Amino acid sequence: MLECGALVAPLDIAYCAYGTLSPQRDNVILVCHALTGDQFVAETHPVTGKPGWWERLVGPGRAIDTERYYVLCVNVLGGCMGSSGPRTLRENGEPWGTDFPPVTIKDMVRAQARLLDHLGIARLFAAIGGSMGGMQVLQWVASFPERVTAAMPIATAPFHSAQNIAFNEVSRQAICGDPDWHGGRYWEHGTVPAMGLAVARMMAHITYLSEEALNQKFGRRTRRDPAPAQGGRAPACSFFGEIFEVESYLRHQGSSFVRRFDANAYLTISRALDWFDLSADYDGDLSAPFRDCETRFCIISFTSDWLFPTSQSRLLARALNRAGVNVSFVEIESDRGHDAFLLDEPDLERTMRGFIAGVSEHAGASATLRPGLSHAP
Amino acid sequence: MLECGALVAPLDIAYCAYGTLSPQRDNVILVCHALTGDQFVAETHPVTGKPGWWERLVGPGRAIDTERYYVLCVNVLGGCMGSSGPRTLRENGEPWGTDFPPVTIKDMVRAQARLLDHLGIARLFAAIGGSMGGMQVLQWVASFPERVTAAMPIATAPFHSAQNIAFNEVSRQAICGDPDWHGGRYWEHGTVPAMGLAVARMMAHITYLSEEALNQKFGRRTRRDPAPAQGGRAPACSFFGEIFEVESYLRHQGSSFVRRFDANAYLTISRALDWFDLSADYDGDLSAPFRDCETRFCIISFTSDWLFPTSQSRLLARALNRAGVNVSFVEIESDRGHDAFLLDEPDLERTMRGFIAGVSEHAGASATLRPGLSHAP
């Protein structure tokens, strides 16, 4: 049963697992993915053939060490890589499409909790994720505080801001304004709203990078237009036969995204993001969901992230402090914007290693004091 | 003859004028408009019925005082409010459409200079403008230093950054990806690429506002969806029957823009913006265009403007300083983002009044020393 009251049955939950579950089932790290991420965190992506999106941090000997921990990554509810979502076929043989009920971050987390129940895992050693993945981490602790020993929300926020919502709304208008969307029933027409989805991705991609990163990476460099002026398209495609490199890059980002992502899933997940507001159930009190919570937190933000700026993480850290939660907050100096959490950032890796080691020692010491944790309701 | 070598003939230049030209023709202030602005700076807009976009600052007794100055505002070349542009009919009775040649900020300024020649105005007392208007102001001094006594570039930059270009490119993709664009020949089909243009405007509008302004104005407030879920459109339109106020606002911005602006003009002007780089003709030396220039400058930026951030104005001020130009630089504290230059900002008005008064006194004192300035080449 979802927050909206609708039922998705049967419920498919697709996930990847790495490492070995300990006999005590106490070594589980849940990695939560972002808006356009998926469960292929540490293995080659089946569609793109690219390496897993966090292979840098998840694997044998890595910060999230699969030789020590059993690592799970779950495709979010509403997504398009195997978990129930708009592309899933219903019993009548048709995809759900836009009839797929609206989902929330809370719904995503509850679906993951059901998977853990199914696997007989009572408690997570840690929940870790960036961006929307960080929202899931926060929601995990808010919904199931007794099931999470350590939480690491990265480059995220306790709610989606007006600017975040505004950008998402432009994405949705681009997708739904594409006539190939066909009111969401594009499979009936053998189309996908490729242009709208590409525009949505291009715009979102700008918000993932800092101005500085764009300047360094592309500046005002130009190249010959690979698709030179044809008929009347000149002013759109090129200028004096040249295009800027940043344009070429964005076009590539847009078109390659369309090949791997479902438009209706994008709509569904972007709505879940917009609707996220941890304090909404508590009259705006952001400390309330974390009172009496024993989860240890490590919050990470990046200086040049303007999509989920440090101020949002600071707000969260203060609320956790007020709730008496054990929290550390690390702002990492980086000029790569929001995407920094996916990139080679040594400080991120160091912080993650240190936090996991610290919690592990503490948990080992206190394990004998608090045995026999049972399943959460 | 344009920079690209093409010829636009006949050349239409539409403008509005306010106040009285002095017998010496030495009281002219040129106001330059932004990307989606036009010449209706201080009078009711003929299409929207709204007040002029700078009535706050231009008029009798205002900072740009039409009782004292003869104020001109010219629709930019490539625009859609009367000056030659993609919507202008050619001799064959068809609009130029995307055959309209690419124009640059330099071309816009040269067209304005031809208008001044036509009106017998040798010299501007001042050139003033914000955003793309500020680029024209800078280009005016670079192209015709002996024709501009005072220059006030506001909320602008000496070049379009990679991030600026990136956002513009998404706009262009949205417009050209709209099937109603029809390769730019939409008039043949009785359509306009309304959805693409609206998406472009919505996205651009976010970049005109600060995160703070959006938070203050809308926050996460919701309202009932005025266009409730029909058939399959639910996930795109609303969530639990509600939409966020910021979404409703953006949709309105998008749809009202489509009624007053031409898509091909938007493409043409956005390209001119991207191509703008004052130092490009001087091997990247931003001081070079201003050497030996006697124009007095007042540069204005706004603290929360992230589209044309203060750092860009500072770069410009430093370059002018290096060139030995008389320049003052005022960063105005405002939380309204780029749009601040169009809004009620008392510090902007005060600075403008002070600068104009100062230059006026100085010009009066030196008028007898440097009489008889002739037309520039």
Side-chain angles (χ1 to χ4, degrees):
Chain A
M1 175 86 91
L2 303 180
E3 265 203 272
C4 66
L7 198 70
V8 176
L11 178 67
D12 297 327
I13 299 295
Y15 67 98
C16 288
Y18 309 89
T20 310
L21 185 60
S22 64
Q24 300 82 7
R25 304 183 179 209
D26 62 355
N27 69 333
V28 181
I29 294 184
L30 178 71
V31 172
C32 301
H33 71 72
L35 167 55
T36 63
D38 50 44
Q39 67 270 38
F40 301 100
V41 59
E43 64 196 83
T44 304
H45 194 279
V47 177
T48 66
K50 288 187 181 164
W53 58 270
W54 239 7
E55 282 198 6
R56 203 184 303 280
L57 294 175
V58 180
R62 301 290 164 98
I64 298 173
D65 187 354
T66 52
E67 285 175 341
R68 179 153 184 200
Y69 294 100
Y70 183 62
V71 179
L72 290 173
C73 188
V74 183
N75 185 216
V76 295
L77 184 67
C80 56
M81 290 305 288
S83 290
S84 294
R87 194 151 72 180
T88 307
L89 298 183
R90 280 197 280 192
E91 284 173 10
N92 63 10
E94 277 203 349
W96 277 93
T98 51
D99 290 335
F100 194 79
V103 303
T104 61
I105 301 290
K106 215 184 270 183
D107 291 326
M108 293 175 183
V109 164
R110 284 177 58 184
Q112 291 160 8
R114 285 190 56 183
L115 172 69
L116 295 194
D117 293 344
H118 177 75
L119 299 174
I121 296 166
R123 188 182 180 95
L124 295 171
F125 171 74
I128 301 178
S131 198
M132 189 181 82
M135 292 178 178
Q136 292 164 65
V137 169
L138 295 174
Q139 189 64 59
W140 253 102
V141 181
S143 295
F144 307 103
E146 68 293 339
R147 294 185 79 168
V148 189
T149 302
M152 194 175 211
I154 305 169
T156 193
F159 60 87
H160 229 210
S161 73
Q163 192 185 62
N164 295 151
I165 296 168
F167 278 119
N168 269 358
E169 171 62 7
V170 177
S171 298
R172 290 187 289 264
Q173 291 290 328
I175 292 168
C176 302
D178 186 329
D180 284 337
W181 186 60
H182 292 293
R185 302 180 67 82
Y186 38 88
W187 67 87
E188 290 179 352
H189 303 263
T191 62
V192 292
M195 197 64 215
L197 188 57
V199 165
R201 175 62 168 182
M202 288 170 71
M203 183 191 62
H205 202 82
I206 302 174
T207 69
Y208 301 154
L209 304 175
S210 68
E211 198 200 349
E212 185 54 30
L214 282 164
N215 275 342
Q216 284 177 11
K217 211 165 172 178
F218 307 106
R220 293 183 45 83
R221 285 192 304 279
T222 59
R223 52 167 68 188
R224 298 301 301 171
D225 187 353
Q230 289 167 10
R233 289 200 60 133
C237 299
S238 63
F239 203 57
F240 303 134
E242 299 270 317
I243 60 167
F244 290 97
E245 287 191 1
V246 67
E247 298 178 276
S248 164
Y249 170 78
L250 282 179
R251 289 179 197 174
H252 172 74
Q253 291 295 327
S255 59
S256 60
F257 181 63
V258 167
R259 284 193 288 275
R260 75 172 175 88
F261 217 84
D262 176 53
N264 286 334
Y266 196 88
L267 296 172
T268 300
I269 301 174
S270 84
R271 270 289 175 211
L273 273 164
D274 287 356
W275 215 249
F276 183 67
D277 181 1
L278 257 189
S279 68
D281 291 344
Y282 304 88
D283 264 345
D285 178 2
L286 187 53
S287 294
F290 302 109
R291 281 221 174 93
D292 305 319
C293 140
E294 295 185 32
T295 306
R296 289 181 63 175
F297 271 85
C298 178
I299 300 170
I300 294 183
S301 72
F302 297 93
T303 48
S304 59
D305 182 350
W306 58 277
L307 192 64
F308 292 103
T310 286
S311 56
Q312 293 275 42
S313 287
R314 194 173 293 125
L315 205 67
L316 178 65
R318 284 191 188 136
L320 287 164
N321 270 323
R322 279 198 307 277
V325 174
N326 185 334
V327 56
S328 59
F329 170 31
V330 180
E331 184 186 22
I332 293 175
E333 185 85 33
S334 165
D335 55 15
R336 290 149 128 184
H338 183 62
D339 256 2
F341 86 91
L342 295 169
L343 303 174
D344 180 22
E345 289 284 347
D347 279 350
L348 172 60
E349 192 192 335
R350 261 194 295 273
T351 308
M352 199 178 273
R353 277 187 194 276
F355 179 62
I356 291 173
V359 176
S360 171
E361 276 171 38
H362 181 268
S366 63
T368 49
L369 300 174
R370 293 187 291 146
L373 277 156
S374 61
H375 278 217
Chain B
M1 175 85 94
L2 303 180
E3 267 203 89
C4 66
L7 198 69
V8 176
L11 178 66
D12 296 326
I13 298 296
Y15 67 100
C16 287
Y18 309 89
T20 309
L21 186 60
S22 64
Q24 300 83 7
R25 306 185 176 206
D26 62 354
N27 69 332
V28 181
I29 294 184
L30 178 71
V31 172
C32 301
H33 71 72
L35 167 56
T36 63
D38 49 45
Q39 68 271 36
F40 301 100
V41 59
E43 63 195 84
T44 303
H45 194 279
V47 177
T48 66
K50 288 189 181 164
W53 56 270
W54 239 7
E55 283 198 4
R56 203 184 303 279
L57 294 174
V58 180
R62 301 291 165 98
I64 300 175
D65 188 353
T66 52
E67 285 176 340
R68 180 153 183 199
Y69 295 101
Y70 183 62
V71 178
L72 289 173
C73 188
V74 183
N75 185 218
V76 296
L77 185 67
C80 57
M81 289 304 288
S83 290
S84 293
R87 195 151 70 179
T88 307
L89 297 183
R90 281 197 279 192
E91 284 173 10
N92 64 7
E94 276 203 350
W96 278 93
T98 51
D99 290 335
F100 194 80
V103 302
T104 61
I105 301 290
K106 215 184 269 184
D107 291 326
M108 294 176 184
V109 164
R110 284 176 58 184
Q112 292 161 8
R114 285 190 58 185
L115 172 69
L116 296 193
D117 294 344
H118 177 75
L119 298 174
I121 296 165
R123 188 181 178 94
L124 296 170
F125 170 74
I128 300 177
S131 198
M132 188 181 81
M135 293 179 178
Q136 292 164 65
V137 169
L138 295 174
Q139 189 64 59
W140 253 102
V141 182
S143 296
F144 308 104
E146 67 294 336
R147 294 187 78 167
V148 189
T149 301
M152 193 173 210
I154 304 168
T156 191
F159 61 87
H160 230 209
S161 73
Q163 193 186 61
N164 296 151
I165 296 168
F167 277 119
N168 270 356
E169 171 63 6
V170 178
S171 298
R172 289 187 290 264
Q173 292 290 329
I175 293 169
C176 302
D178 186 329
D180 284 337
W181 186 59
H182 291 293
R185 301 180 68 82
Y186 39 88
W187 67 87
E188 290 179 351
H189 303 262
T191 62
V192 291
M195 198 65 217
L197 189 57
V199 165
R201 176 62 168 181
M202 288 169 71
M203 184 192 60
H205 203 82
I206 302 174
T207 69
Y208 301 155
L209 304 176
S210 67
E211 198 200 351
E212 185 54 30
L214 282 164
N215 275 342
Q216 284 177 12
K217 214 165 169 175
F218 307 106
R220 292 183 45 83
R221 284 192 303 280
T222 59
R223 52 168 66 189
R224 296 303 300 170
D225 187 353
Q230 289 168 9
R233 289 200 60 136
C237 298
S238 63
F239 203 56
F240 303 134
E242 300 269 316
I243 59 168
F244 289 97
E245 287 192 1
V246 67
E247 297 179 273
S248 164
Y249 171 78
L250 283 179
R251 289 178 198 175
H252 173 74
Q253 291 294 328
S255 59
S256 60
F257 181 63
V258 168
R259 285 194 289 275
R260 74 171 176 90
F261 217 86
D262 176 54
N264 285 333
Y266 196 90
L267 296 172
T268 300
I269 302 173
S270 84
R271 269 289 176 213
L273 274 164
D274 286 356
W275 216 249
F276 183 67
D277 181 2
L278 258 187
S279 69
D281 292 344
Y282 305 88
D283 264 346
D285 178 1
L286 187 53
S287 294
F290 302 109
R291 284 226 170 87
D292 304 319
C293 140
E294 296 185 31
T295 305
R296 289 182 62 177
F297 271 84
C298 178
I299 300 170
I300 294 182
S301 72
F302 297 93
T303 47
S304 60
D305 183 351
W306 58 277
L307 192 64
F308 293 105
T310 286
S311 57
Q312 292 275 40
S313 286
R314 193 174 293 125
L315 205 67
L316 178 65
R318 283 190 188 138
L320 287 164
N321 271 324
R322 280 198 306 276
V325 174
N326 185 333
V327 56
S328 58
F329 170 32
V330 180
E331 184 187 23
I332 293 175
E333 185 84 32
S334 166
D335 56 15
R336 290 149 125 184
H338 183 61
D339 256 3
F341 85 91
L342 294 169
L343 303 173
D344 181 22
E345 289 284 348
D347 280 351
L348 172 60
E349 191 192 338
R350 261 193 296 274
T351 307
M352 199 179 272
R353 277 188 194 275
F355 179 62
I356 290 173
V359 176
S360 172
E361 274 170 39
H362 182 267
S366 64
T368 51
L369 300 173
R370 292 188 291 148
L373 277 155
S374 61
H375 278 215

